[in-house]
Amino acid sequence: MRHLLGIAGWRRDELEALLDRAQAHLPGGPDASHVLRGRVVANLFFEDSTRTRSSFEVAARKLGADVLNWSYAGSSVSKGETLLDTARNIEAMGPAVIVIRHRSSGAPGLVARHVKCAVVNAGDGAHEHPSQALLDAFTLRQRWGRLDGRTVLIVGDVLHSRVARSNLLCLKALGARVVLCGPPTLLPPGLEEMGGEVTHQLDAVLPQADAVMCLRLQTERMSEAFLPSQREYSRLFGITPARAERMKPDALVLHPGPINRGVELSPVVADGPRSVILEQVANGVAVRRAILEACAS
Amino acid sequence: MTPVLFQRARVIDPRNGVDGVRDVLVTDGRVAQVSEAPLPAPKDARVVDATDKWLVPGFIDLHVHLREPGEEGKETVLTGCRAAVAGGFTGVVAMPNTKVVNDSALVTELVLSRARDAGLCHVYPAGAITKGLKGEELSEAGELIGAGCVALTDDGRPVMNAGLMRRVLQYATQFDVPVMVHEEDLTLSAGGAMHEGATSTRLGLRGIPSSAEVAMVARDLVLLEETKGRLHVAHVSCEGSVRLIREAKQRGLRVTCEVAPHHFTLDDRAVGDYDTHAKMAPPLRGDVDVKALREALVDGTVDAIATDHAPHGVSDKLVEFEKGINGIVGLETALGLTLALVHEGVLTPRRAVELLSDGPARVFGLPGGHLAPGAPADITLLSPSEEWTVDAHRFYSRSRNTPFHGRTLKGRVTQTWVGGRCVFEDGQLKESR
């Protein structure tokens, strides 16, 4: 049993092995419906996330697991129960793996230190979202074979993005160069220490990118005045058709979803030939099958 | 009261310029004689062989949360005093942010009465600047000071309203007590859980920039200059603050400040893997700040080491980092952490003792802090090089929230004397009741 709390702490060969394992879980691969038969995967979602929760649920069912879906809405948490009490109660039902999504950074780690089963982080605060990073890397690897020597440009609200942090760590570990781009108010200090390069000049770096990973603009942050307006953000950092023209001919566009169409990504680009957004979603199930298999074994 | 003769101690008394082997005689609860030549023991005197020990003025902690009234599950005046004397402190200043807030003589008197019942060390209450710590109306400072408060503070909360802060500094000049401030611009720290830096980015936690503190220090120094008041800056945590305070002192402003042991010992990396025991306000800062604080301890910019002893229950810390309550207990680890700076060669023994005794006594105008004949016999006797491992479960404090559990420290209190009475000896409390 091993937890997946973040990309941090995993070696390149371990990440590669996980991605190799995901390869076998692609549609048309060998039947794996017995892998977790009779075992329980508990989805603890303290924050709304239809996409990630569904993906983990489909992955678990395809491995033959029984799925326990717990969500905070109307739960004992609203009656004042602590995170650890909730987790220990779920643990008492005997799951092989607890998949946890939480708005507080570090919450899955806290649970992992106090339960006996494996814990998978399905996104915690602005900390990490490792399964997303693995499926993104998987998608790029599928196109490129290797990530070595490739430049991935991550654009947008890095400050609040767990996807950006996990991707920075994961892509760097797999040999890619990672450039982070966004307004200064949304790029926190210390990204260089995590291996990233930082810029605010999208148009200058765009032609270097082999892939552009857009982050969802968290419009709920707008009231905190990180940005003057969506309109200005879109002008400075939106991937428009004109900007897409200036990218390398074979450069890819990724987005973790859900997209604010016309803000961080124009519909033409999102649905265009560069986009691998739906491949990301499809690969997500295979990658999460590999994660659950690895953690439950 | 039995006379006491301490023999062959290394007496360090910064105020009186003493650092050397001396005999010290205590009679009637006061220091009677400090002598280079051996003193004869009076009849019936208790004789303490203090060879290889340091005999220093009892420590005074300007910043302690005793939690009574209101949160007695975390600490009481009694348990806080036990922790204090076990840590070598003979006096503590009790913060007013109890539940009920100490914004009236009634609460001040309650705390003093509990302290008398405890009978262990001096407790000096601090009164709230504003009623209910709400930052709106001035509390009745005259009444508070009349009842025994030694300073005014809304500790834990900044006085965000600059106009109100200006009036407090003005108003307090008539009593000549310091206004003690927790410097934090809430619009800059909002939502932050730790110091803003590479570690907060890695952990995905909202950061509190240094400017949240420095900007308020700057504001209050401007107000201080205008009002000619007395300002005491609590738990200074960053480089910018000490720079401003140093400059202000050079210009003759009546500003003093304190630094907490955790801020000169740990930096923000101590948060590690979301360790809520490393969560405090102000937060643990960067390594540049730690270095600056150490320099400020050496050069006199810092007047006192104060622990900001903040007891909390286990369930307050066993939660998501963002939900964790700020603060750590500090009374029983302060000496070891301060002496670490001596053992590292940062501080001289004399300066370390000054920061724990004379400095704080001067800042708040408290008795003690020195050992001249006639001074109260508030004395700490310590083994400067004795190693021990912090075991939070053995604290006298009612709470165990410390990031130093398991750490080996060098320097241990062997005896604490208050008013000529031994209240702590060889790890055991000597309670009168």
Side-chain angles (χ1 to χ4, degrees), chain B residues 10-219:
Chain B
R10 176 177 174 185
V11 175
I12 304 175
D13 177 7
R15 191 182 302 179
N16 298 299
V18 178
D19 183 358
V21 175
R22 301 283 191 278
D23 276 13
V24 177
L25 179 66
V26 168
T27 56
D28 298 327
R30 294 189 173 268
V31 176
Q33 219 178 335
V34 180
S35 165
E36 280 189 70
L39 292 173
K43 188 170 176 291
D44 302 331
R46 177 175 172 192
V47 177
V48 177
D49 177 6
T51 310
D52 298 329
K53 305 274 197 301
W54 291 6
L55 188 154
V56 302
F59 304 150
I60 297 169
D61 192 340
L62 297 179
H63 198 150
V64 168
H65 298 269
L66 295 177
R67 304 292 185 218
E68 188 177 6
E71 292 182 296
E72 291 83 355
K74 297 181 174 186
E75 197 80 285
T76 62
V77 174
L78 175 63
T79 60
C81 288
R82 285 174 177 161
V85 298
F89 289 91
T90 57
V92 296
V93 176
M95 291 298 109
N97 59 347
T98 40
K99 296 176 179 173
V100 185
V101 170
N102 185 6
D103 59 3
S104 72
L106 206 63
V107 180
T108 305
E109 282 158 12
L110 172 86
V111 172
L112 287 170
S113 145
R114 290 282 192 272
R116 274 193 301 277
D117 291 347
L120 284 166
C121 66
H122 308 289
V123 174
Y124 306 106
I129 293 174
T130 62
K131 288 176 187 163
L133 304 174
K134 289 183 179 151
E136 293 164 2
E137 295 172 80
L138 294 186
S139 53
E140 290 173 308
E143 177 183 288
L144 287 165
I145 292 157
C149 285
V150 298
L152 298 174
T153 182
D154 274 4
D155 180 63
R157 297 191 193 187
V159 179
M160 280 296 287
N161 181 326
L164 188 67
M165 185 64 199
R166 186 172 183 274
R167 283 196 292 279
V168 171
L169 284 166
Q170 276 177 329
Y171 192 75
T173 54
Q174 66 182 311
F175 310 111
D176 200 34
V177 296
V179 177
M180 178 180 184
V181 280
H182 168 101
E183 299 291 42
E184 177 182 353
D185 184 318
L186 298 174
T187 66
L188 289 168
S189 63
M194 67 173 296
H195 175 60
E196 181 182 277
T199 304
S200 65
T201 295
R202 178 175 67 80
L203 294 175
L205 292 169
R206 179 81 76 96
I208 300 171
S210 296
S211 57
E213 177 176 304
V214 184
M216 285 289 270
V217 170
R219 182 200 78 173

Side-chain angles (χ1 to χ4, degrees), chain A residues 83-84 102 104-106 110 113-114 126-127 165 188-189 191 193 224, chain B residues 196-198 200-206 273-274 318-322:
Chain A
L83 169 62
L84 282 185
H102 202 284
S104 288
S105 299
L110 177 66
R113 284 193 291 279
H114 290 89
H127 176 223
R165 282 171 182 74
L191 291 169
E193 290 177 34
E224 287 190 72
Chain B
E196 181 182 277
S200 65
T201 295
R202 178 175 67 80
L203 294 175
L205 292 169
R206 179 81 76 96
D273 199 9
Y274 303 96
L318 202 56
V319 291
E320 301 89 307
F321 192 86
E322 288 160 342

Side-chain angles (χ1 to χ4, degrees), chain A residues 12-65:
Chain A
R12 176 172 184 159
D13 61 317
E14 293 169 332
L15 295 171
E16 299 268 16
L18 209 51
L19 296 180
D20 290 343
R21 206 191 274 228
Q23 193 70 33
H25 285 293
L26 284 173
D31 177 36
S33 60
H34 59 283
V35 171
L36 292 184
R37 186 168 298 146
R39 304 183 74 182
V40 174
V41 171
N43 279 331
L44 259 72
F45 277 62
F46 291 84
E47 193 180 64
D48 292 327
S49 166
T50 311
R51 188 178 314 245
T52 302
R53 191 188 56 69
S54 306
S55 183
F56 270 109
E57 182 170 351
V58 171
R61 290 194 193 286
K62 288 198 171 192
L63 296 173

Side-chain angles (χ1 to χ4, degrees), chain A residues 20-163:
Chain A
D20 290 343
R21 206 191 274 228
Q23 193 70 33
H25 285 293
L26 284 173
D31 177 36
S33 60
H34 59 283
V35 171
L36 292 184
R37 186 168 298 146
R39 304 183 74 182
V40 174
V41 171
N43 279 331
L44 259 72
F45 277 62
F46 291 84
E47 193 180 64
D48 292 327
S49 166
T50 311
R51 188 178 314 245
T52 302
R53 191 188 56 69
S54 306
S55 183
F56 270 109
E57 182 170 351
V58 171
R61 290 194 193 286
K62 288 198 171 192
L63 296 173
D66 296 317
V67 179
L68 188 167
N69 277 321
W70 181 98
S71 75
Y72 72 104
S75 75
S76 41
V77 171
S78 56
K79 298 170 194 158
E81 188 173 70
T82 67
L83 169 62
L84 282 185
D85 282 337
T86 303
R88 284 174 176 143
N89 274 288
I90 297 290
E91 184 199 16
M93 298 173 199
V97 182
I98 292 178
V99 178
I100 179 166
R101 156 73 62 102
H102 202 284
R103 64 184 69 251
S104 288
S105 299
L110 177 66
V111 170
R113 284 193 291 279
H114 290 89
V115 298
K116 292 186 185 69
C117 60
V119 173
V120 172
N121 179 2
D124 61 331
H127 176 223
E128 284 226 40
H129 194 348
S131 63
Q132 178 73 39
L134 285 164
L135 75 88
D136 289 341
F138 184 86
T139 305
L140 294 175
R141 212 177 70 149
Q142 208 171 35
R143 289 294 186 109
W144 298 338
R146 296 173 65 81
L147 271 65
D148 298 88
R150 299 283 187 167
T151 295
V152 179
L153 179 60
I154 301 179
V155 183
D157 180 0
V158 178
L159 178 65
H160 299 105
S161 176
R162 50 194 171 216
V163 173

